[in-house]
């Protein structure tokens, strides 16, 4: 009985000691969580972010040039000035051109350089006495035609029937196509047009003296002639003894046979043993 009592006392002692250890651990953990975490100092080295960040999406379209207005280079500005004058029917002063290019705040040397370039430009016509002596600038087209009357007068003065290109006409006349359409409607122009978009391509003067009246009998005879259908046209031509252009006059060409080359007999070699002619015999003739 004493042995069993000793075992019970030892178990109670171990249980009380283990419970005290658990309570101590819980108090230490609670105190550690209540303490504030220390702020990182400036001297501490933070780990770099190794993740690759995607670049922010931009609205820049790299396949198109930036809108730069009238340009910053002087030759670009001259090109814009020529385009500006091309769209004007009246001469313009230097102040008008500078205002269009927005160069009012530029220095006088820059304006003077533009002035000299425009005066010597092959597509610009400069009038020193224009605008009361200020000088005016006007676009010089391939053909100086800007109205219907000028177009008809130019075509009548031509010595050949070459006609006039509408592309060259539009170089200095923006309303050329509308004028050509109206002149064609009243029968003063002969016009050829593009098949794709029906825009005028070439123009000729329509001479009224060449428009001769035709008797009604000829009209009747003309319309009585009936043309065969496209499918029967070849048969009708052959029946009339005519050869259609779509039919080949010659028969099919047979391919030539390649002639076999015959080998030429080998010529006898050069005899070099002439010093032994008395000893050797010639068997070539046998």
């Amino acid at each position: 009985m004493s042995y069993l009592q000793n075992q019970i006392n030892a178990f109670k002692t171990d249980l009380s000691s283990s419970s005290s250890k658990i309570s101590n651990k819980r108090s230490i953990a609670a105190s550690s969580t209540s303490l504030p975490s220390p702020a990182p100092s400036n001297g501490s080295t933070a780990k770099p972010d190794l993740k690759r960040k995607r670049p922010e999406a931009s609205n820049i379209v790299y396949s198109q040039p930036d809108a730069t207005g009238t340009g910053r280079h002087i030759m670009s500005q001259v090109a814009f000035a020529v385009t500006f004058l091309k769209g004007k029917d009246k001469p313009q002063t230097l102040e008008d051109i500078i205002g269009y290019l927005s160069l009012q705040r530029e220095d006088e040397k820059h304006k003077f350089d533009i002035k000299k370039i425009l005066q010597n430009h092959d597509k610009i016509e400069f009038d020193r006495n224009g605008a009361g002596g200020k000088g005016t600038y006007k676009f010089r087209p391939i053909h100086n035609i800007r109205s219907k009357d000028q177009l008809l007068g130019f075509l009548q003065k031509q010595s050949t029937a070459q006609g006039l290109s509408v592309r060259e006409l539009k170089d200095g006349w923006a309303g050329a196509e509308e004028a050509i359409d109206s002149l064609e409607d009243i029968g003063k122009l002969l016009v050829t047009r593009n098949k794709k978009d029906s825009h005028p391509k070439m123009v000729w003067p329509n001479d009224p003296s060449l428009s001769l009246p035709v008797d009604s009998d000829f009209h009747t005879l003309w319309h009585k002639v009936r043309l065969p259908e496209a499918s029967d046209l070849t048969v009708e031509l052959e029946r009339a003894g005519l050869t259609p252009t779509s039919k080949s006059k010659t028969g099919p060409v047979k391919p030539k046979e390649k002639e076999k080359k015959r080998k030429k007999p080998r010529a006898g070699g050069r005899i070099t043993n002439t010093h032994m002619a008395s000893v050797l015999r010639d068997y070539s003739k046998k």
Side-chain angles (χ1 to χ4, degrees), residues 96-110:
D96 297 332
I97 298 173
I98 294 298
Y100 171 77
L101 299 175
S102 301
L103 300 177
Q104 295 90 338
R105 296 183 179 180
E106 290 288 338
D107 55 0
E108 294 299 325
K109 184 181 182 304
H110 189 79

Side-chain angles (χ1 to χ4, degrees), residues 116-135:
K116 285 299 181 183
I117 294 173
L118 290 176
Q119 288 179 0
N120 298 321
H121 202 284
D122 57 348
K123 298 295 291 183
I124 301 299
E125 188 176 329
F126 175 63
D127 184 9
R128 297 181 182 275
N129 300 323
K134 292 183 179 180

